[in-house]
Amino acid sequence: MRFRTRAPGRLTKRVTLSVCISLLVLPGAGNAKALDPVTASGYTETKIGRPLITQAIGIANAILAASSAYRLKAGWTPADKDKPATNELAVYLIAPTSPPFVIQVPFKSCRCVFVQESAFRKSLSAYSGKPKQMLRIEPSHMLAFMLLHEIGHVDNGNPGAYDDASADLNLTETEQKERERAADALAARALVAASKDTKSTSGFLDAMNVQLAVTNASWNLAAVRLLDHFGGSPLCAKDLFADRGLSHPNYELRILTVNDIIANTRTSHELVEQFESCRAPAPR
Protein backbone atom coordinates (compact mmCIF):
# COMPACT_ATOMS: atom_id res chain seq x y z
CA MET A 1 0.00 0.00 0.00
CA ARG A 2 1.41 3.35 -0.84
CA PHE A 3 0.67 6.43 1.08
CA ARG A 4 0.79 9.55 -1.11
CA THR A 5 -0.35 13.04 -0.38
CA ARG A 6 -2.45 15.22 -2.60
CA ALA A 7 -1.41 18.79 -1.98
CA PRO A 8 -2.18 21.89 -4.06
CA GLY A 9 -0.30 23.02 -7.14
CA ARG A 10 3.42 22.51 -7.20
CA LEU A 11 3.29 20.47 -4.00
CA THR A 12 1.37 17.77 -5.85
CA LYS A 13 4.57 16.28 -7.20
CA ARG A 14 6.56 16.43 -4.01
CA VAL A 15 4.03 15.88 -1.25
CA THR A 16 3.37 12.25 -0.68
CA LEU A 17 0.43 11.79 1.72
CA SER A 18 -2.78 9.90 0.46
CA VAL A 19 -3.16 6.15 1.10
CA CYS A 20 -3.69 3.03 -0.91
CA ILE A 21 -2.91 -0.67 -0.93
CA SER A 22 -0.91 -2.44 -3.62
CA LEU A 23 -1.64 -6.10 -4.19
CA LEU A 24 1.77 -7.70 -4.18
CA VAL A 25 2.28 -11.34 -5.11
CA LEU A 26 5.06 -12.78 -3.05
CA PRO A 27 7.32 -15.34 -4.70
CA GLY A 28 7.02 -18.69 -2.98
CA ALA A 29 3.66 -17.95 -1.40
CA GLY A 30 2.30 -21.21 -0.08
CA ASN A 31 5.83 -22.65 0.14
CA ALA A 32 7.04 -23.48 3.64
CA LYS A 33 10.41 -22.05 2.74
CA ALA A 34 9.01 -18.83 1.32
CA LEU A 35 11.08 -15.70 1.81
CA ASP A 36 10.20 -13.18 4.46
CA PRO A 37 7.72 -10.49 3.27
CA VAL A 38 10.36 -7.76 2.85
CA THR A 39 12.80 -9.84 0.79
CA ALA A 40 10.01 -11.49 -1.17
CA SER A 41 8.68 -8.07 -2.15
CA GLY A 42 12.08 -7.06 -3.51
CA TYR A 43 12.92 -4.65 -0.68
CA THR A 44 15.65 -4.39 1.93
CA GLU A 45 14.92 -3.89 5.62
CA THR A 46 16.74 -1.13 7.51
CA LYS A 47 17.21 -0.14 11.15
CA ILE A 48 17.17 3.58 10.39
CA GLY A 49 14.00 5.16 11.73
CA ARG A 50 13.10 2.63 14.40
CA PRO A 51 12.47 5.22 17.16
CA LEU A 52 9.86 7.03 15.03
CA ILE A 53 8.11 3.82 13.96
CA THR A 54 8.12 2.45 17.51
CA GLN A 55 6.57 5.63 18.83
CA ALA A 56 3.90 5.78 16.11
CA ILE A 57 2.98 2.12 16.70
CA GLY A 58 2.55 2.76 20.42
CA ILE A 59 0.32 5.76 19.76
CA ALA A 60 -1.83 3.92 17.21
CA ASN A 61 -2.25 0.90 19.51
CA ALA A 62 -3.29 3.07 22.45
CA ILE A 63 -5.95 4.66 20.25
CA LEU A 64 -7.14 1.36 18.78
CA ALA A 65 -7.72 -0.10 22.25
CA ALA A 66 -10.99 1.81 22.56
CA SER A 67 -12.62 0.53 19.38
CA SER A 68 -10.71 -2.24 17.60
CA ALA A 69 -9.15 -5.66 18.15
CA TYR A 70 -6.38 -4.91 15.66
CA ARG A 71 -2.89 -4.11 16.89
CA LEU A 72 0.42 -3.20 15.26
CA LYS A 73 3.85 -4.52 16.18
CA ALA A 74 7.40 -3.78 15.07
CA GLY A 75 8.43 -6.25 12.40
CA TRP A 76 11.89 -6.62 13.90
CA THR A 77 10.58 -7.99 17.22
CA PRO A 78 10.39 -11.80 17.63
CA ALA A 79 6.98 -13.41 17.27
CA ASP A 80 5.36 -15.04 20.25
CA LYS A 81 5.05 -18.64 19.07
CA ASP A 82 3.01 -19.64 22.11
CA LYS A 83 0.43 -16.90 21.53
CA PRO A 84 0.00 -16.30 17.80
CA ALA A 85 -1.97 -13.10 17.28
CA THR A 86 -4.19 -13.19 14.24
CA ASN A 87 -5.15 -9.55 14.75
CA GLU A 88 -1.58 -8.21 14.62
CA LEU A 89 0.01 -6.40 11.69
CA ALA A 90 3.80 -6.24 11.65
CA VAL A 91 5.39 -2.93 10.59
CA TYR A 92 8.70 -3.15 8.72
CA LEU A 93 11.17 -0.37 7.95
CA ILE A 94 12.24 -0.39 4.30
CA ALA A 95 15.45 1.06 2.92
CA PRO A 96 15.01 3.83 0.30
CA THR A 97 13.84 2.74 -3.13
CA SER A 98 13.48 4.45 -6.49
CA PRO A 99 10.85 5.68 -6.74
CA PRO A 100 10.29 6.04 -2.99
CA PHE A 101 7.06 5.33 -1.14
CA VAL A 102 5.80 6.28 2.30
CA ILE A 103 3.63 3.29 3.26
CA GLN A 104 2.94 0.10 1.41
CA VAL A 105 0.90 -2.96 2.43
CA PRO A 106 1.01 -6.32 0.62
CA PHE A 107 -2.64 -6.79 1.53
CA LYS A 108 -3.19 -10.37 0.35
CA SER A 109 0.29 -11.75 0.94
CA CYS A 110 1.02 -10.91 4.56
CA ARG A 111 -0.46 -9.04 7.48
CA CYS A 112 2.18 -6.35 7.53
CA VAL A 113 2.95 -2.74 6.70
CA PHE A 114 6.06 -1.37 4.97
CA VAL A 115 7.25 2.15 5.85
CA GLN A 116 10.05 4.28 4.39
CA GLU A 117 10.97 6.70 7.14
CA SER A 118 12.93 9.12 4.96
CA ALA A 119 10.12 9.38 2.41
CA PHE A 120 7.60 9.98 5.19
CA ARG A 121 9.64 12.81 6.70
CA LYS A 122 10.12 14.41 3.29
CA SER A 123 6.41 14.30 2.55
CA LEU A 124 5.53 15.79 5.92
CA SER A 125 8.10 18.59 5.65
CA ALA A 126 6.29 19.95 2.59
CA TYR A 127 3.33 21.06 4.73
CA SER A 128 4.65 21.21 8.28
CA GLY A 129 6.28 24.18 9.89
CA LYS A 130 8.49 25.65 7.17
CA PRO A 131 6.92 29.11 6.58
CA LYS A 132 5.90 31.03 9.68
CA GLN A 133 2.27 30.60 8.70
CA MET A 134 2.51 26.82 9.08
CA LEU A 135 1.91 24.95 12.32
CA ARG A 136 4.31 22.22 13.39
CA ILE A 137 3.09 18.65 13.10
CA GLU A 138 4.71 16.02 15.29
CA PRO A 139 5.88 13.25 12.90
CA SER A 140 4.91 10.36 15.18
CA HIS A 141 1.37 11.72 15.50
CA MET A 142 0.82 12.04 11.76
CA LEU A 143 2.37 8.64 11.07
CA ALA A 144 0.09 7.14 13.72
CA PHE A 145 -2.90 8.54 11.84
CA MET A 146 -1.63 6.99 8.62
CA LEU A 147 -1.29 3.63 10.38
CA LEU A 148 -4.88 3.97 11.63
CA HIS A 149 -5.94 4.55 8.02
CA GLU A 150 -4.23 1.31 7.04
CA ILE A 151 -6.05 -0.52 9.82
CA GLY A 152 -9.20 0.95 8.28
CA HIS A 153 -8.44 -0.76 4.97
CA VAL A 154 -7.84 -4.07 6.74
CA ASP A 155 -10.97 -3.78 8.87
CA ASN A 156 -13.10 -2.90 5.86
CA GLY A 157 -11.57 -5.76 3.90
CA ASN A 158 -10.95 -3.40 0.99
CA PRO A 159 -7.56 -3.57 -0.66
CA GLY A 160 -6.54 -0.39 -2.41
CA ALA A 161 -4.63 0.44 -5.57
CA TYR A 162 -2.49 3.45 -6.39
CA ASP A 163 -2.98 5.08 -9.78
CA ASP A 164 0.69 5.87 -10.20
CA ALA A 165 0.57 6.08 -13.99
CA SER A 166 -2.02 8.84 -14.23
CA ALA A 167 -1.75 12.39 -12.97
CA ASP A 168 -4.92 13.53 -14.70
CA LEU A 169 -6.99 16.06 -12.79
CA ASN A 170 -10.53 14.79 -12.44
CA LEU A 171 -13.69 14.73 -10.35
CA THR A 172 -14.60 11.19 -11.35
CA GLU A 173 -16.06 9.00 -8.63
CA THR A 174 -14.41 5.57 -8.43
CA GLU A 175 -14.70 2.55 -6.16
CA GLN A 176 -11.13 3.04 -4.98
CA LYS A 177 -11.74 6.64 -3.95
CA GLU A 178 -14.69 5.46 -1.88
CA ARG A 179 -12.44 2.85 -0.24
CA GLU A 180 -9.99 5.57 0.74
CA ARG A 181 -12.79 7.67 2.24
CA ALA A 182 -14.03 4.67 4.19
CA ALA A 183 -10.56 3.98 5.61
CA ASP A 184 -10.21 7.66 6.54
CA ALA A 185 -13.59 7.54 8.28
CA LEU A 186 -12.64 4.48 10.32
CA ALA A 187 -9.41 6.17 11.42
CA ALA A 188 -11.37 9.27 12.41
CA ARG A 189 -13.93 7.24 14.36
CA ALA A 190 -11.13 5.43 16.19
CA LEU A 191 -9.81 8.82 17.29
CA VAL A 192 -13.25 9.91 18.46
CA ALA A 193 -13.75 6.67 20.41
CA ALA A 194 -10.36 6.98 22.12
CA SER A 195 -11.00 10.62 23.01
CA LYS A 196 -14.16 9.51 24.85
CA ASP A 197 -12.54 6.57 26.63
CA THR A 198 -12.21 7.67 30.26
CA LYS A 199 -10.64 4.35 31.25
CA SER A 200 -7.44 4.92 29.27
CA THR A 201 -5.43 8.05 29.99
CA SER A 202 -2.78 7.19 27.41
CA GLY A 203 -5.37 6.47 24.72
CA PHE A 204 -7.16 9.73 25.43
CA LEU A 205 -3.99 11.83 25.34
CA ASP A 206 -2.68 10.11 22.21
CA ALA A 207 -6.03 10.64 20.47
CA MET A 208 -5.95 14.34 21.36
CA ASN A 209 -2.42 14.67 19.97
CA VAL A 210 -3.26 12.92 16.70
CA GLN A 211 -6.42 14.98 16.33
CA LEU A 212 -4.30 18.12 16.75
CA ALA A 213 -1.93 16.85 14.06
CA VAL A 214 -4.85 16.41 11.65
CA THR A 215 -6.20 19.88 12.49
CA ASN A 216 -2.77 21.44 11.96
CA ALA A 217 -2.41 19.60 8.65
CA SER A 218 -5.74 21.05 7.53
CA TRP A 219 -4.62 24.56 8.45
CA ASN A 220 -1.24 24.15 6.76
CA LEU A 221 -2.66 22.78 3.52
CA ALA A 222 -5.08 25.71 3.35
CA ALA A 223 -2.19 28.10 3.97
CA VAL A 224 -0.21 26.58 1.10
CA ARG A 225 -3.23 26.83 -1.20
CA LEU A 226 -3.97 30.46 -0.30
CA LEU A 227 -0.45 31.85 -0.02
CA ASP A 228 1.39 29.96 -2.75
CA HIS A 229 -1.40 30.17 -5.32
CA PHE A 230 -2.77 33.69 -5.19
CA GLY A 231 -6.18 33.89 -6.80
CA GLY A 232 -6.47 30.14 -7.25
CA SER A 233 -8.99 29.63 -4.47
CA PRO A 234 -11.49 32.35 -5.49
CA LEU A 235 -11.29 31.07 -9.07
CA CYS A 236 -11.67 27.43 -7.94
CA ALA A 237 -8.55 26.44 -9.88
CA LYS A 238 -8.80 22.82 -10.94
CA ASP A 239 -5.25 21.96 -9.92
CA LEU A 240 -6.11 22.94 -6.33
CA PHE A 241 -9.53 21.34 -5.93
CA ALA A 242 -9.70 18.34 -8.27
CA ASP A 243 -8.41 14.80 -7.66
CA ARG A 244 -5.10 13.75 -9.15
CA GLY A 245 -5.55 10.31 -10.64
CA LEU A 246 -8.44 7.92 -10.14
CA SER A 247 -7.42 6.13 -6.94
CA HIS A 248 -7.48 8.89 -4.31
CA PRO A 249 -9.66 11.91 -3.53
CA ASN A 250 -8.08 15.36 -3.20
CA TYR A 251 -5.78 15.22 -0.17
CA GLU A 252 -6.81 18.51 1.38
CA LEU A 253 -10.47 17.51 1.09
CA ARG A 254 -9.67 14.21 2.79
CA ILE A 255 -8.03 15.96 5.72
CA LEU A 256 -10.90 18.45 5.97
CA THR A 257 -13.38 15.57 6.00
CA VAL A 258 -11.49 13.67 8.70
CA ASN A 259 -11.28 16.84 10.76
CA ASP A 260 -15.04 17.31 10.30
CA ILE A 261 -15.79 13.79 11.58
CA ILE A 262 -13.61 14.47 14.62
CA ALA A 263 -14.76 18.02 15.43
CA ASN A 264 -18.36 17.75 14.19
CA THR A 265 -18.95 21.50 14.44
CA ARG A 266 -20.71 23.98 12.20
CA THR A 267 -17.34 25.48 11.27
CA SER A 268 -15.87 22.10 10.29
CA HIS A 269 -18.98 21.37 8.18
CA GLU A 270 -18.71 24.72 6.41
CA LEU A 271 -15.03 24.23 5.61
CA VAL A 272 -15.85 20.96 3.85
CA GLU A 273 -18.83 22.52 2.05
CA GLN A 274 -16.77 25.50 0.87
CA PHE A 275 -14.07 23.23 -0.53
CA GLU A 276 -16.59 20.96 -2.23
CA SER A 277 -18.37 23.95 -3.78
CA CYS A 278 -15.28 24.48 -5.92
CA ARG A 279 -15.53 20.89 -7.11
CA ALA A 280 -19.12 21.20 -8.29
CA PRO A 281 -19.64 21.34 -12.05
CA ALA A 282 -19.85 24.89 -13.32
CA PRO A 283 -23.42 25.95 -14.21
CA ARG A 284 -24.09 26.12 -17.95
Side-chain angles (χ1 to χ4, degrees):
M1 151 173 89
R2 295 182 183 174
F3 197 106
R4 302 233 178 193
T5 332
R6 162 71 176 99
R10 68 187 184 197
L11 285 182
T12 301
K13 296 182 180 179
R14 56 177 178 159
V15 177
T16 50
L17 193 81
S18 71
V19 186
C20 75
I21 299 177
S22 299
L23 302 183
L24 304 180
V25 179
L26 300 186
N31 187 326
K33 297 182 179 180
L35 299 174
D36 68 89
V38 176
T39 304
S41 299
Y43 299 134
T44 302
E45 197 170 357
T46 180
K47 295 181 180 180
I48 299 174
R50 282 187 177 181
L52 171 63
I53 304 302
T54 301
Q55 191 174 4
I57 288 174
I59 293 169
N61 283 341
I63 292 168
L64 287 168
S67 60
S68 175
Y70 288 106
R71 296 295 181 271
L72 298 155
K73 64 168 288 183
W76 55 88
T77 57
D80 189 344
K81 296 182 179 179
D82 296 326
K83 297 180 180 179
T86 58
N87 64 331
E88 277 190 343
L89 278 76
V91 182
Y92 295 94
L93 269 165
I94 307 300
T97 58
S98 181
F101 64 85
V102 176
I103 291 185
Q104 187 180 100
V105 174
F107 191 88
K108 288 187 174 180
S109 302
C110 79
R111 301 176 68 82
C112 58
V113 182
F114 297 156
V115 179
Q116 284 191 348
E117 188 254 6
S118 58
F120 166 75
R121 289 189 182 276
K122 183 177 181 180
S123 72
L124 185 61
S125 68
Y127 62 98
S128 173
K130 281 188 175 180
K132 294 181 180 179
Q133 295 85 354
M134 282 191 183
L135 303 173
R136 185 180 183 278
I137 299 172
E138 173 59 41
S140 62
H141 297 159
M142 201 63 198
L143 182 55
F145 172 75
M146 294 164 69
L147 291 172
L148 291 174
H149 174 103
E150 304 309 329
I151 292 292
H153 274 298
V154 174
D155 192 66
N156 291 329
N158 290 328
Y162 189 75
D163 183 14
D164 202 24
S166 172
D168 292 339
L169 295 172
N170 69 89
L171 296 174
T172 305
E173 288 300 319
T174 66
E175 182 180 359
Q176 184 53 40
K177 288 180 183 179
E178 184 54 37
R179 289 177 176 179
E180 298 304 323
R181 294 190 188 97
D184 282 343
L186 191 143
R189 290 195 297 270
L191 288 168
V192 172
S195 69
K196 295 179 179 179
D197 185 7
T198 58
K199 297 180 182 179
S200 174
T201 302
S202 61
F204 170 82
L205 292 176
D206 284 332
M208 292 296 100
N209 285 330
V210 174
Q211 287 182 25
L212 179 61
V214 172
T215 300
N216 287 355
S218 178
W219 170 272
N220 289 352
L221 288 166
V224 170
R225 171 166 51 85
L226 294 169
L227 298 175
D228 285 6
H229 306 276
F230 180 76
S233 293
L235 295 173
C236 294
K238 191 173 183 180
D239 64 326
L240 299 180
F241 294 93
D243 305 332
R244 190 167 295 275
L246 297 174
S247 65
H248 284 71
N250 180 286
Y251 182 64
E252 185 178 352
L253 177 58
R254 288 177 59 195
I255 294 297
L256 282 171
T257 303
V258 168
N259 194 53
D260 184 35
I261 295 173
I262 294 170
N264 193 26
T265 64
R266 182 172 181 175
T267 299
S268 67
H269 299 334
E270 289 178 350
L271 288 172
V272 174
E273 290 171 359
Q274 288 173 8
F275 196 95
E276 288 184 331
S277 68
C278 271
R279 291 165 56 85
R284 294 183 179 181

